[in-house]
Amino acid sequence: MRAVNHLSSKAACRIIGGVFDMTLSRFPAAVRIETTNACNAKCTICPHSEIARPIARMDDELFTRIIDECARGGCQEAHLHNFGEPLLDKHLEDRVRYAKQRGLRKVKIFTNGSLLGEERARGLIDAGLDEIKVSFDGATREEFEQIRVPLKYDQVVENIKGLVALRDAMRSAMKVRVACCSTTDKDGTMQSLEKTVDGFSFGKIHNWASEDYTNGQSKIRKPCSRLWRTFTILVDGQVALCCLDYDGQFTLGRLDAGTSIRDVWTGAAYRQVRARHKEARQDEISLCRHCTKSFF
C-alpha cells in the first residue's frame, strides 16, 4: 500500500504542481502581515502558548515598506493578521487606512472577536477594512468557552451583532464572516449568528505541522497551494514557510532595506521548497513532513 501511495503521490504532486507553476505570478497574490503576534486567548486548539519567539508589534517603517511594495506589485489581498490577535495592535486602524490609501484592493483581518467593541468596530469600518473574519468554535456557550479560553461567548456574539449593525448604519460594504474548525454541531454553531453575518465557513482542525499526525504516511500527498499563492511575514520581517509555522522555524528570507518581497518570492529558498512539493519530497521539510495540509 505504501508503494502505491508513493507512486500516486508523485503523480499527483507532479500534475498539480505543474498547474500551480503555470499560475505562479511574479508577486504573491496574498500577503499575510503579522502586525502583532500577541494574543489574549489560550484556545485549546491553538499552540500560541508554546510560541518561543518574542511577543512584539511590527515596526511602522517595516509595515509601510511592505504595503508600498504590495501596492507596486499588484497584490490582490493583504491580510493584517497571522499568529496573534490583530486587535491588540493599537495602530491597526491606521494601518488598514494606509493600505487602502495605497490602493490595495482587499484588506482583511482574522480576529477572535473579543475586543471588537463599538469604538474599534467604528474605527475599522471608517478606515475602509474590506473583511473581518471571526473565529467562532463550539455549538453552545459551554463548548465555546471550553475551547476559547478565557473568552466569553455572550460578549463575542454581542460584538459581532454590534459590528454588523454598525456596518449597516454606516453603509459600509465590509463583509463580516465567521469561521469554525471545532464544533460538535454545525447547525448549533450557526444558530446564534446565521441571520446576522454574511457567511459561515467550516474547516477541519489541522495539526500545526506537528508530528502528532501519525497517519500521514499511509495517505497520498499533494503540493501545498500556499507556496504558490501566499506570502507570510512575521512581526520581525522574517518570511515564514507558511501561516502554520507559528514559531518561525523554517524561514525563507528576511525583509529589510535591501531585500524585497519579490526578492524572496522569486528566490532560491522558495524555488527549492516548491520543487520538493512538486516531487512529493515533503518529508525533506520538517514542517511539511507530518502536516495535515500536505495530504489529500
Side-chain angles (χ1 to χ4, degrees), residues 193-246:
L193 292 166
E194 185 177 14
K195 296 180 180 180
T196 302
V197 299
D198 297 306
F200 267 81
S201 62
F202 289 89
K204 296 179 181 179
I205 296 178
H206 51 73
N207 68 339
W208 296 99
S210 165
E211 294 187 10
D212 293 340
Y213 186 63
T214 56
N215 294 324
Q217 296 192 19
S218 65
K219 294 188 176 183
I220 298 172
R221 286 198 177 274
K222 62 179 179 179
C224 182
S225 63
R226 288 173 172 82
L227 297 175
W228 281 263
R229 175 173 171 77
T230 63
F231 192 89
T232 301
I233 308 167
L234 302 182
V235 69
D236 62 353
Q238 294 277 3
V239 179
L241 178 67
C242 72
C243 59
L244 303 186
D245 185 7
Y246 62 89

Side-chain angles (χ1 to χ4, degrees), residues 264-285:
V264 179
W265 182 246
T266 60
Y270 251 113
R271 292 199 303 271
Q272 185 179 63
V273 294
R274 290 184 190 121
R276 288 176 179 174
H277 273 245
K278 287 191 298 181
E279 296 164 4
R281 294 164 55 203
Q282 291 92 331
D283 273 351
E284 297 176 15
I285 306 171

Side-chain angles (χ1 to χ4, degrees), residues 139-210:
T140 64
R141 178 182 294 101
E142 291 72 24
E143 187 176 19
F144 176 94
E145 293 182 359
Q146 286 174 1
I147 296 170
R148 297 203 153 266
V149 181
L151 308 187
K152 298 302 179 185
Y153 175 92
D154 291 336
Q155 184 65 63
V156 174
V157 170
E158 180 182 336
N159 286 350
I160 295 172
K161 290 182 175 179
L163 169 67
V164 173
L166 190 59
R167 184 269 314 264
D168 293 344
M170 295 176 67
R171 300 177 182 270
S172 166
M174 182 182 72
K175 297 298 183 183
V176 180
R177 308 186 194 279
V178 170
C180 174
C181 63
S182 179
T183 183
T184 55
D185 182 354
K186 290 184 179 180
D187 290 336
T189 301
M190 295 172 64
Q191 190 171 13
S192 61
L193 292 166
E194 185 177 14
K195 296 180 180 180
T196 302
V197 299
D198 297 306
F200 267 81
S201 62
F202 289 89
K204 296 179 181 179
I205 296 178
H206 51 73
N207 68 339
W208 296 99
S210 165

